[in-house]
Amino acid sequence: MKAKKTSNQQRDLLDRGWHLARTPLEIDVAEIEYALMRSYEAFGRWQAECLATVIEFSASGPENALLHIIRMNDRPKSIRDLAQMTNRDDIPNIQYSLRKLVKADLVKRQGSGRAGVTYEVTPLGHRVTERYADIRSALLIDAVTRVPDLADRLEDAARTLELMTGIYEQSARAAATHRRRHPQPEVIGVREEG
């Protein structure tokens, strides 16, 4: 309880308001969004560096994620499966990433036609993902275990992020539904009232 009180006192000393954070709730939501952006970038760097310790292959965070998701449960995945599992709708970008993974011999494409094509890891992809998991355990998981109570908080954090994902999805649908046609933009500048 004392830590919570100290945290609240520190918050009172800081100016946390900005155009997206006008009320206490808006401040909390803006701070989680800002933390998500920073976490996403740090996660991408982590993935790239961890993969670079295993194989000389330049992959973005989403490409690395696709490799591991394809390996998940050791069963082939379709592009539709991958899009759904990653909450993505940018199919051309997923296809580009898959071509890159295939070219690197980490993933192989099977089947033909739109509905019949699946992807699975190659023997090299299997070795790479196993080694990645070993390094992840030695570096990342070890670091998590060294932070008191962090392991216990991860499940709640994951549930919160999943809940926020659903809220963002619904809000995006609502925004798309209520989007207005905007008139031609005016010249940007300060208008004088007169």
Side-chain angles (χ1 to χ4, degrees), residues 140-151:
L140 183 68
I141 304 305
D142 182 63
V144 168
T145 63
R146 293 175 186 276
V147 178
D149 301 321
L150 182 58

Side-chain angles (χ1 to χ4, degrees), residues 13-27:
L13 294 174
L14 303 173
D15 180 7
R16 299 179 334 139
W18 52 306
H19 72 280
L20 294 178
R22 298 166 296 197
T23 67
L25 179 58
E26 287 179 350
I27 289 170

Side-chain angles (χ1 to χ4, degrees), residues 25 50 54 72 90-91 93 105 110 155 159 165 169 178:
L25 179 58
C50 188
V54 178
M72 187 187 294
D90 58 333
I91 301 300
N93 291 333
D105 194 35
Q110 298 183 143
E155 186 177 351
R159 286 184 180 157
T165 298
E169 288 292 332
H178 300 290

Side-chain angles (χ1 to χ4, degrees), residues 6-61:
T6 303
S7 176
N8 286 338
Q9 288 171 341
Q10 288 173 340
R11 286 180 174 202
D12 291 342
L13 294 174
L14 303 173
D15 180 7
R16 299 179 334 139
W18 52 306
H19 72 280
L20 294 178
R22 298 166 296 197
T23 67
L25 179 58
E26 287 179 350
I27 289 170
D28 290 342
V29 171
E31 286 191 358
I32 193 143
E33 289 173 336
Y34 195 45
L36 280 170
M37 287 184 266
R38 292 189 314 266
S39 295
Y40 175 77
E41 295 301 329
F43 179 59
R45 279 191 300 280
W46 152 251
Q47 288 181 305
E49 291 301 325
C50 188
L51 188 62
T53 65
V54 178
I55 188 172
E56 217 170 293
F57 172 66
S58 179
S60 67

Side-chain angles (χ1 to χ4, degrees), residues 52-73:
T53 65
V54 178
I55 188 172
E56 217 170 293
F57 172 66
S58 179
S60 67
E63 289 164 350
N64 193 1
L66 284 176
L67 174 62
H68 293 287
I69 290 170
I70 290 168
R71 168 76 198 280
M72 187 187 294
N73 299 331

Side-chain angles (χ1 to χ4, degrees), residues 149-168:
D149 301 321
L150 182 58
D152 294 334
R153 296 185 335 221
L154 290 176
E155 186 177 351
D156 286 339
R159 286 184 180 157
T160 300
L161 290 173
E162 288 296 336
L163 180 61
M164 289 302 295
T165 298
I167 291 170
Y168 281 123

